[in-house]
Amino acid sequence: MTTTYQNLIGGEWKPAASGATFTSLSPANRDEVIGEFPASGPADVDDAVAAAGRAYPAWSGMPAPKRGEILFRVARLLAEHKEELSQLMTREMGKVLSEARGDVQEAIDVAYYMAGEGRRLFGQTVPSEMPDKFAMAIRRPIGVVGIITPWNFPIAIPAWKLFPALICGNTAVMKPASDTPACMVRFVELLMEGGIPAGVVNVVTGSGGEVGNAIVDHPDVRVISFTGHTDTGVEISTRAAKTLKRVSLELGGKNPIVIWEDADLDLALDSVIWSAFGTSGQRCTAASRLIVHRAVHDDFVHRLRQRVAKLVLGDGLLEETDVGPVINERAVERIAEYASIGRDEADLVIGGEPAREGALGRGSFFQPTVFTEVRPDARIAQEEIFGPVASVIPVSDWEETVRVVNGVKYGLSTSLFTNDINLAFRSIRDFESGLGYVNHGTIGAEAHLPFGGVKATGNGHREVGQAALDFFSEWKSVYIDYSGKLQRAQIDTTFVDEG
Ligand code: UN1
């Protein structure tokens, strides 16, 4: 029996106006149906935006500490349901269970952090340049926000976007990726149970073309937060300009780990395995370029090959699995195409093929893959593959290293393994990225510091931490003159210079 799920609109669960549905399947086993979901369209988005608009006055008018208390309850509920959510995530999205638990934990962390912000939401107070005048800036909510989320962090990323939006007093319409609607539905069921009022959070499932575009175009949606492919980000940004929306984009990466000649190679190897093959390489922060000093290249590649050969592919629910499936068959085809491009451009060290033996044949698996002697300008060293493929690029000096690190269009996370403190600090100054790591892989950003990248990775905004509050609130500068007379700013002032 297949369960049919519905959209959440104004606190009620409703099918798409058209009645159409689509199916979510498990990437580890195509025979396992996760559920049927509404294949919604613009009419459903209109409904959801109207519901969010109706809920806005009461929610934005509620004292922020009270909104924080609701988020605190939500955090506790997510923690109580962590195991159930993690299992669902592994079934629907494929990442191994320990990583799914990390994904849910990230949502719990953001919920607690933003719950605490309910009692802060700090503004700015400054002395006025005039006597008997008070000056401050406060945060104001913006309105209805549109949240469009990817499948690779099906609970963490919706939480990253939604909880700061809510604590600032906004209401939301969310669209999950078509590969992970069940995670979103279960997540918002728990939000409702935690006491989020009807209409404050709405969910419309369906395709980017039908649902995503309708959210982006809607005149009553004031803000869009999107994580996904760079081309989609550019399209969203262009469409959203017509209604002057504020847009935050978290897009691609081609993240390097630099392994210097003095690096602790054991530590570097552990970190490379985790950063390149964790989540089957499907993180924006995944390491896809391994920039290795010539002096240690052969040793490093030899040991990397041995480690990769031992990785166990399989269903993420099984204890022995190291690497789960990729998201779907289209992803397998795309990665296979890059692997064949790689064979022409570089030397294949290991992997390079879809994995179809035994039970793997029922799902979408790709062998963990390493190329070496990759030129910095090769396509596999430039384009985001979003799969378990790492390219080793040998280098010989620091200047060349900086050039290679920065010689891609993206700039999300960068990492350097060295014991040289001077190089460590230089990497932080010179590597172009929004996240810089030393003796740590490229993944594993924590939710209370700004997250995001430079160059084609985004459009200058940051997620989570304090930065998220800036994105989801409007500054209002406030002046209160208690002098009882006209005081003209910049004119009726006496400067020390003028005596
Ligand atoms: C992403 O891949 O889009 O730092 C987010 C990390 C995680 C988040 C990744 N905390 O890898």
Side-chain angles (χ1 to χ4, degrees), residues 3-305:
T3 312
T4 302
Y5 295 86
Q6 298 183 321
N7 289 326
L8 176 64
I9 297 179
E12 284 169 26
W13 295 96
K14 294 183 180 174
S18 69
T21 61
F22 68 97
T23 310
S24 172
L25 302 175
S26 173
N29 178 359
R30 277 182 297 278
D31 300 333
E32 187 187 345
V33 176
I34 306 293
E36 293 284 327
F37 295 84
S40 314
D44 305 296
V45 170
D46 280 348
D47 248 14
V49 174
R54 284 193 300 276
Y56 179 72
W59 181 250
S60 58
M62 183 187 289
K66 295 289 156 204
R67 293 197 295 262
E69 282 168 29
I70 296 177
L71 281 189
F72 195 84
R73 280 210 302 271
V74 164
R76 276 208 310 248
L77 263 179
L78 292 173
E80 277 165 31
H81 291 266
K82 180 173 169 179
E83 192 53 29
E84 172 216 328
L85 287 167
S86 308
Q87 303 251 354
L88 172 63
M89 188 186 303
T90 295
R91 286 174 52 227
E92 187 174 50
M93 181 272 161
K95 64 173 77 177
V96 298
L97 194 50
S98 59
E99 292 181 26
R101 292 184 185 123
D103 188 316
V104 178
Q105 187 57 46
E106 211 160 343
I108 297 166
D109 295 344
V110 181
Y112 278 124
Y113 183 96
M114 292 301 163
E117 276 307 317
R119 288 199 176 261
R120 288 187 292 268
L121 285 180
F122 289 149
Q124 303 168 12
T125 54
V126 294
S128 168
E129 62 192 39
M130 320 296 289
D132 301 327
K133 187 176 168 189
F134 183 80
M136 65 181 168
I138 57 171
R139 294 181 184 280
R140 298 291 303 147
I142 306 177
V144 177
V145 306
I147 293 177
I148 302 174
T149 56
W151 46 262
N152 67 334
F153 278 82
I155 294 194
I157 290 182
W160 280 16
K161 298 178 185 303
L162 181 67
F163 296 152
L166 294 184
I167 201 65
C168 289
N170 306 289
T171 58
V173 175
M174 302 208 284
K175 180 198 118 48
S178 302
D179 286 298
T180 51
C183 289
M184 176 70 94
V185 165
R186 188 61 193 126
F187 174 64
V188 295
E189 276 175 4
L190 291 170
L191 299 191
M192 301 306 285
E193 204 181 313
I196 300 277
V200 169
V201 175
N202 304 275
V203 170
V204 183
T205 62
S207 70
E210 287 291 307
V211 177
N213 285 346
I215 294 174
V216 172
D217 292 341
H218 203 295
D220 297 336
V221 173
R222 298 309 314 142
V223 178
I224 297 289
S225 181
F226 168 76
T227 298
H229 199 277
T230 296
D231 295 344
T232 316
V234 171
E235 194 195 327
I236 286 178
S237 189
T238 308
R239 295 182 86 104
K242 297 199 183 89
T243 42
L244 292 175
K245 287 181 178 56
R246 180 185 295 210
V247 179
S248 167
L249 304 171
E250 285 301 336
L251 310 172
K254 195 70 193 172
N255 311 294
I257 293 183
V258 175
I259 295 155
W260 205 242
E261 56 184 330
D262 67 344
D264 175 341
L265 278 196
D266 292 319
L267 174 63
L269 277 162
D270 284 346
S271 306
V272 162
I273 295 286
W274 172 227
S275 295
F277 304 117
T279 326
S280 306
Q282 303 168 112
R283 290 195 188 204
C284 308
T285 51
S288 51
R289 295 186 297 152
L290 310 175
I291 301 174
V292 182
H293 198 289
R294 270 279 174 216
V296 292
H297 170 271
D298 293 357
D299 190 18
F300 175 79
V301 170
H302 174 72
R303 288 163 69 183
L304 179 60
R305 188 185 187 292

